[in-house]
Amino acid sequence: GAGVSQSPSNKVTEKGKDVELRCDPISGHTALYWYRQSLGQGLEFLIYFQGNSAPDKSGLPSDRFSAERTGGSVSTLTIQRTQQEDSAVYLCASSLATGRSRETQYFGPGTRLLVL
Amino acid sequence: EDKVVQSPLSLVVHEGDTVTLNCSYEVTNFRSLLWYKQEKKAPTFLFMLTSSGIEKKSGRLSSILDKKELFSILNITATQTGDSAVYLCAGGVNDMRFGAGTRLTVKP
């Protein structure tokens, strides 16, 4: 595709429910990142996938958060037993992972999650 | 603890003004500093800086990195209303640490 796509664009859920957020990276990009941006805050790193390597999960805020990347392409971020503080925009980014272009990340439009 | 601090947090100027946005960083693992423009939800890439003292330019925007002082600036000359956005900087390697951003408002 032309860019990183995410779905849904908006999600409203009730506290305690599970949600799944999807990211389709740019074709050919082997690196994929999840971030979240709470209202008025900077971007917070969540998780990083690179090819077939074990993901860097160091940014996941709790064990309620998990992410998968199937076939080295599409990724799903799952939040279990959602809490109101999980409300944020969840952004996905992808990048080539070759040399200095590794860190040039291209972002998707995000999913705005509201937990009531 | 890694941190990226941007200043000012917000800035209001008039069209034609020149602005300088600041970004200081303390990041354990550092390779590059990135600048993004965020108008709605998704940031768009502006610059990637890896070496000190080399200015990168794109139209009215320019940026430079000082790896000794752990500092970067983003300059915008002859500002236009379309420059109104949140400008984010980030430093690191893979797990980039982002600042809170500078909200720039350019009034006609």
Side-chain angles (χ1 to χ4, degrees):
Chain A
V4 179
S5 61
Q6 292 186 245
S7 62
S9 55
N10 292 281
K11 177 72 177 178
V12 180
T13 190
E14 294 178 347
K15 178 180 173 181
K17 295 284 181 70
D18 298 351
V19 296
E20 284 190 353
L21 312 180
R22 177 188 168 104
C23 172
D24 282 274
I26 292 172
S27 178
H29 281 192
T30 57
L32 187 146
Y33 311 76
W34 282 98
Y35 297 90
R36 73 175 175 183
Q37 186 176 29
S38 302
L39 188 63
Q41 304 294 315
L43 286 173
E44 176 188 1
F45 167 77
L46 296 177
I47 189 169
Y48 161 68
F49 294 91
Q50 171 50 53
N52 295 321
S53 302
D56 177 354
K57 303 179 182 181
S58 60
L60 294 178
S62 78
D63 58 8
R64 296 186 295 105
F65 288 73
S66 63
E68 292 184 340
R69 189 176 184 194
T70 55
S73 180
V74 172
S75 178
T76 302
L77 177 69
T78 301
I79 309 173
Q80 296 177 309
R81 305 181 302 282
T82 52
Q83 303 293 313
Q84 289 180 330
E85 59 263 29
D86 299 334
S87 297
V89 175
Y90 288 82
L91 288 162
C92 173
S94 71
S95 71
L96 290 168
T98 54
R100 289 186 179 274
S101 63
R102 178 185 310 213
E103 297 89 8
T104 307
Q105 298 173 32
Y106 297 88
F107 283 79
T111 294
R112 189 180 299 279
L113 175 66
L114 178 61
V115 182
L116 300 177
Chain B
E1 181 182 346
D2 291 351
K3 61 181 180 180
V4 176
V5 179
Q6 293 186 244
S7 64
L9 291 181
S10 65
L11 187 58
V12 180
V13 299
H14 288 91
E15 277 192 317
D17 289 349
T18 293
V19 298
T20 299
L21 310 182
N22 305 296
C23 175
S24 65
Y25 63 92
E26 293 179 24
V27 177
T28 304
N29 296 310
F30 180 84
R31 180 180 298 166
S32 61
L33 187 134
L34 306 177
W35 283 97
Y36 289 89
K37 177 182 181 182
Q38 185 178 26
E39 292 176 89
K40 292 183 179 178
K41 281 194 292 188
T44 53
F45 172 77
L46 294 177
F47 297 110
M48 179 173 73
L49 305 161
T50 56
S51 301
S52 281
I54 300 174
E55 184 183 49
K56 292 213 171 179
K57 290 180 68 69
S58 177
R60 296 177 293 103
L61 277 65
S62 64
S63 184
I64 197 163
L65 175 67
D66 185 332
K67 294 173 77 171
K68 181 179 178 182
E69 299 297 327
L70 309 182
F71 190 82
S72 176
I73 60 172
L74 175 68
N75 281 317
I76 309 175
T77 59
T79 51
Q80 303 172 358
T81 55
D83 295 329
S84 296
V86 174
Y87 290 83
L88 294 164
C89 74
V93 180
N94 295 318
D95 54 337
M96 304 296 280
R97 301 300 180 199
F98 282 77
T102 293
R103 180 174 297 279
L104 174 65
T105 302
V106 181
K107 294 188 172 181

